Structures are given as structure tokens and as C-alpha cells.
Amino acid sequence: MQHPEPSPTDESADAGVAPAAGLQAPEATRGDRPGRRRWGLIALGVAGLLVAAGTGLVLYEAHSSRLQAGTLSRYASQLEFQVEPWASDRVRFPSHGPFDQRLGYTLIPGFVERLKSRGFVVAEQARQSPALLDHLDRGLYAPYVEKTQAGLTVYDCHRQPVYAFAYPYRRFERFEQVPVLLGQILLFIENRDLLDTDRPQMNPAVDWVRFTRAVIGQLGSRIDPELDTPGGSTLATQIEKFRHSPDGITHDAREKLRQMASAAVRAYRQGADTLPARRQILLDYLNTVPLSAARRHGEVHGLGDGLWVWFGTDLERAHDLLTPALGVAADPAERAQVLRQVVALMVAHRRPSWYLAQGRDDLEQTTDAHLRLLAAEGLIDDGWRDAALRQRLAFRDFSRDPPQWPASPGKGTTAARSRLAGWLGTSLYNLDRLDASLDSTLHSGLQEHVTDFLGRLTDPEFARAQGLIGERLLQPASMGEVRYSFTLLERTDSGNQVRVQTDTTGQPLDINEGS
């Protein structure tokens, strides 16, 4: 018997191949779907956990700065320098920044060349570590301990100071000297969490909430140029800006990041605990904040000089009036006026040239707004607020009452300063504000003695005792018209040394010079 020919359907079935219109493949697909969905949900859950963990880590780090503290403190510890004999080939000097220009740091290479041309040599100079050189080559600012008060000091032959110009003139010496209320006002306006003791390792260069708002504001301003964009700067970054940024302003986002990075490294220079550095930031800001320039005075830096130059208020008196235990018995109107002045200057630093000159009406209104906010926060009581709101800012009349200058230097030191200014190619005004010192050959004790002696010669009785009055000599009636000049040089193994140089003209010019 012959078997019948298998049908195509039978062959397909025997071979295990699903028929073209079979139903088995869809059943298998449906069987896989629950597994795939299960794995997809697991993957989504894991991703969500990772995102949540990452977000939590970012928020924790933004609050505690623990990772930054460890990394940046180790990095900052490598940024060192050593002062060694003779000129250095491992040193970088700043090229811009108001602070660096005023103190003369940007001018050091030029000064060195000018002095070399007059026979001077570099006796010693800094050698910066490779890490510090790399830090500076990246465009960041050096994290050294910066002086808040500096100026020219002239020493005599015994290394005793005979002239010292300290600028700014008035300042708080220590953090503890700052009235608590003054610190609270500054922090309320500018950087509220700066001194948070619960965050010992906090990075003071970044306030993440304000920074995020500032970024969003900047993005919004691209759409609407009229949109008011809040600032995101902390006190630490503001100090970097007005000290070291070109022209003391933030030109672009790159400069803002440079300020933030430099401020962060500076904050961790002494270790992971930044509370001491943050207290120093508040103190430095109060002592050095730029407050425009005034006629017959020049640049104004720091709250102490700002109060004196713009309002005629002494810093010590302001300290007492802002300290409840000391100022409670003072005239309420005086306390209110000083409070208003302090708040006004804390506001004015944002646009000092405008607020302290043409924009004084705007300054009054903005000060009123901040006084109300301070009372709402409980920093001042309602009575003090209302008294300050009734006051108006009484600016100094610079024509009738110019700020007092420091005492005039003696003739010898004026001659020394004039000679140094000529060597460096700068003015006496700029010379006094350099972070510099000068060793002179003057003998301060003898200089003062001779100056006093010559001054007494205008007294007829004293002049007669010295044998200056008589026939064919001086007459008592003409004593006031006589000008005396005296220069004393001592011969030494290294050459003639000027020990005394003085006159009685009472004028800035020295009639000995060039005689």
C-alpha cells in the first residue's frame, strides 16, 4: 500500500513550523509581556532611587559642604610661597583689580625695573609653589592673607617709624569689635546664613538658593530684558570682585565663576572648618567695601571711613550708639541718625557712585524700605525704626567742612617720599597708598630736635640768647620774616648719609632740595 502524500499542513506541523495563519506566536508574545513589564518597572524604580539618592546627596552637600571642605582644604594647602634671597623666576604678579592696583602689586615689575636703573638690586623675593603657579595660570586669584589696611611707612636709621600712612584710616581691628546689630544688618541685606554655626564646614562662596534664583533670573532676562534679576553674590565673592576683578565689576559669567572659585579656595586655606574664615569675611567686608570717592579726600573704603567722610560720624561713636548696653542713654535722635547712616551705606555699596552723589533721593527711599524690613525681622524695635524713618541723611558739606587729613609729615620724610615717588614714577597720593616701606638715613630724634630749635628762633628773646639779634644782625621786628633751612650729613664708610633735613617755611615744598 502506498502512503498518501502529506499535505503542506501536515509537513508544517511535523516540522514544528507554525502555519502562516497559526495562533501560537501571538500566544508566546503575550506570555512575554508580563516579564518585560516587570523588568521595566524594576529598572524605573532603580532609576528613581538613584535620582532620589543623587538629589539627596546634592542637597546634603549643598547644606554641609563636607565633600568640598575635604577636597578644597587639601588643594589650598598646596598653594604656598617662600621668600628667598635675590630675584625670583617663580612668581606671578596680578595684572588687574582695584585692590591690587592701589596697593601697587600690579606695578611691581615696572617698579623693579625703574629702581634697577638707579642702581638698586632685588635683595629677596617670593618663590611660589608649582601648585600656586598652576592656580594663578588658570586665572584664579592667589589665596594669601590680604591686608585690609596698608600704606607707606618710612623708617629712620634706627628702624624707627618716622612716617606711617594707614589707609583706610578707620576700621574695626577684630571681629569682636563689630557691634552685633551691625553684623546682623549686613548679613540680613547680603548673606543671611554666612555665620551659621550649625554648618562648620560651609562653603561661604556659594549661597545655592540665591545662586539658583540668579541663574533663573538671568535666563528670564534673555526673554524679557526688563525683568528684574536678583544678584547671587555672597560677601566672599563680592570681596573677590571689588578687590581683584577688572575694574572691580563682574563683566560676564566667566568672571563670576572665577570669583566663586577663588573665594572658595581662600575660605578653606586654613582647613575644613570655615567659621573663622567666615567671621574674617564679615570683618574684611566692613573694613574695605568701596564707597565711591569724595572731594578733597579721594577714594573711600570701609564703613569707618564711609561714616566719617560722608556724614562726619566717628566710628567709635557709631559703635557705642549701635550697642544697646552703651547707647541706650544716648540722644534717641542721634541713635536714629546713625542707624540710618549705617543702613544707607550698606545699601549704597551696590551703586556707590550713584547713591552717594546724584541718587541721594533714591538712597533715602531704599533706606526707608530696609528699615521697615529690619523691624519686621525683629532686628530693631518699632520705636527705633520710627525714629530712623523720621530722620533724613545729613551729608557732609565738603566745601565748608572737608574731611580732616592726617597730620602733615616732617620735612625730612617729605623729602624722602618725594624722592621715592620720583624714582617709581608715581604721585605722593598714590605712593602713600602703596603697601610699601622705605628705609631712610634720617635720625628721627635729631631731626625733631633741630626742627624744634629752628622754630624757636622766631622768638626774639630766644634768638637774642643765640646771638642772632644785634647791630648788623637780625632785628626783633623782622624775626617773623626769616626762614631757616638746615641739612646735616654724616660721613660714613658707605658714603655721606643725610641725618637731618628741615626748614621753617611751613610749606609742603622743601627749600633744601636742589639748593
Side-chain angles (χ1 to χ4, degrees):
M1 296 178 62
Q2 294 182 348
H3 293 285
E5 292 290 331
S7 65
T9 302
D10 294 334
E11 290 179 356
S12 301
D14 291 342
V17 178
L23 301 177
Q24 295 181 4
E27 290 176 358
T29 301
R30 284 197 300 270
D32 290 341
R33 282 179 178 174
R36 293 180 179 179
R37 185 178 298 112
R38 191 162 49 249
W39 283 110
L41 291 174
I42 292 174
L44 184 62
V46 170
L49 289 174
L50 291 175
V51 170
T55 302
L57 180 62
V58 169
L59 293 175
Y60 173 78
E61 177 61 20
H63 179 78
S64 69
S65 304
R66 180 161 296 181
L67 295 177
Q68 301 168 68
T71 302
L72 290 177
S73 60
R74 287 191 297 271
Y75 174 80
S77 66
Q78 306 173 57
L79 308 182
E80 301 175 332
F81 68 91
Q82 296 291 334
V83 177
E84 298 177 1
W86 311 120
S88 170
D89 59 356
R90 291 190 290 110
V91 62
R92 303 282 190 275
F93 297 103
S95 59
H96 51 67
F99 183 88
D100 299 303
Q101 291 171 333
R102 175 168 59 84
L103 294 180
Y105 304 151
T106 61
L107 305 172
I108 289 177
F111 287 163
V112 169
E113 293 304 315
R114 292 181 67 95
L115 292 173
K116 281 183 177 180
S117 68
R118 295 183 175 273
F120 290 89
V121 296
V122 176
E124 56 183 17
Q125 200 168 33
R127 271 74 172 169
Q128 295 170 335
S129 67
L132 180 53
L133 291 173
D134 290 342
H135 180 82
L136 298 175
D137 289 341
R138 294 189 187 101
L140 301 177
Y141 305 129
Y144 56 87
V145 179
E146 297 181 308
K147 299 178 180 179
T148 59
Q149 187 182 55
L152 177 68
T153 301
V154 180
Y155 296 97
D156 72 356
C157 59
H158 297 301
R159 286 291 296 177
Q160 297 298 313
V162 292
Y163 176 82
F165 188 94
Y167 178 85
Y169 307 124
R170 302 159 186 85
R171 65 168 183 164
F172 296 108
E173 296 288 341
R174 302 183 309 278
F175 174 81
E176 292 74 17
Q177 289 182 334
V178 178
V180 173
L181 177 60
L182 176 57
Q184 291 174 336
I185 291 173
L186 175 59
L187 295 181
F188 176 77
I189 296 175
E190 294 295 336
N191 199 166
R192 299 186 185 184
D193 297 328
L194 178 66
L195 300 184
D196 188 349
T197 56
D198 293 331
R199 302 164 64 186
Q201 297 179 331
M202 169 187 168
N203 182 354
V206 187
D207 182 331
W208 290 106
V209 174
R210 294 182 62 190
F211 181 72
T212 302
R213 290 174 180 170
V215 171
I216 295 174
Q218 290 295 327
L219 293 176
S221 66
R222 302 287 181 90
I223 302 173
D224 181 6
E226 300 298 323
L227 183 67
D228 184 25
T229 56
S233 295
T234 62
L235 291 183
T237 57
Q238 288 186 50
I239 290 176
E240 297 293 329
K241 176 184 68 174
F242 67 66
R243 286 183 177 179
H244 305 299
S245 293
D247 302 319
I249 60 178
T250 305
H251 291 278
D252 50 33
R254 181 184 180 89
E255 181 58 31
K256 173 58 66 178
L257 293 175
R258 180 182 292 113
Q259 296 164 7
M260 294 169 62
S262 299
V265 173
R266 192 185 303 277
Y268 291 103
R269 188 180 53 82
Q270 297 295 336
D273 185 350
T274 61
L275 185 57
R278 285 181 274 148
R279 289 173 174 164
Q280 189 66 41
I281 287 170
L282 185 143
L283 179 64
D284 288 353
Y285 188 90
L286 289 172
N287 282 334
T288 62
V289 59
L291 294 171
S292 192
R295 283 193 306 149
R296 303 178 69 177
H297 177 275
E299 294 178 305
V300 182
H301 286 87
L303 182 71
D305 277 8
L307 287 170
W308 173 251
V309 172
W310 292 112
F311 306 119
T313 298
D314 182 73
L315 181 60
E316 292 185 3
R317 181 59 177 165
H319 171 277
D320 293 345
L321 292 172
L322 294 175
T323 303
L326 300 175
V328 67
D331 178 10
E334 185 183 12
R335 291 186 73 220
Q337 179 63 226
V338 168
L339 174 64
R340 187 173 188 84
Q341 292 169 358
V342 166
V343 174
L345 291 179
M346 291 297 97
V347 171
H349 84 270
R350 297 176 179 178
R351 296 177 62 194
S353 297
W354 163 254
Y355 277 128
L356 296 171
Q358 299 93 341
R360 292 180 178 179
D361 289 340
D362 287 350
L363 181 60
E364 295 276 15
Q365 297 174 13
T366 309
T367 300
D368 286 346
H370 279 83
L371 286 168
R372 296 186 179 97
L373 290 172
L374 291 171
E377 288 291 320
L379 298 181
I380 59 174
D381 58 48
D382 292 348
W384 203 357
R385 174 204 61 194
D386 294 341
L389 289 174
R390 288 192 293 269
Q391 297 287 327
R392 294 294 92 183
L393 294 173
F395 283 86
R396 178 191 291 271
D397 186 333
F398 291 98
S399 299
R400 294 185 300 177
D401 181 28
Q404 294 180 359
W405 284 85
S408 300
K411 290 293 183 175
T413 53
T414 297
R417 290 167 57 238
S418 299
R419 200 167 300 178
L420 179 60
W423 290 343
L424 299 181
T426 189
S427 66
L428 288 176
Y429 176 90
N430 290 330
L431 178 69
D432 280 343
R433 286 157 177 78
L434 297 180
D435 182 11
S437 63
L438 171 67
D439 290 331
S440 74
T441 61
L442 295 171
H443 188 298
S444 61
L446 189 56
Q447 172 88 16
E448 293 174 3
H449 181 77
V450 172
T451 301
D452 179 67
F453 180 86
L454 295 181
R456 294 173 64 192
L457 291 178
T458 59
D459 178 7
E461 293 302 321
F462 183 77
R464 181 176 286 107
Q466 305 304 316
L468 297 181
I469 295 179
E471 186 178 356
R472 297 185 179 181
L473 296 175
L474 298 178
Q475 299 301 315
S478 63
M479 296 302 298
E481 303 300 322
V482 180
R483 301 291 180 264
Y484 299 94
S485 172
F486 183 81
T487 298
L488 175 67
L489 296 96
E490 179 183 3
R491 181 181 298 169
T492 70
D493 293 340
S494 57
N496 294 335
Q497 306 290 330
V498 177
R499 299 306 188 197
V500 177
Q501 185 164 318
T502 186
D503 64 46
T504 60
T505 62
Q507 300 296 319
L509 297 179
D510 192 321
I511 61 177
N512 293 279
E513 289 292 286
S515 298

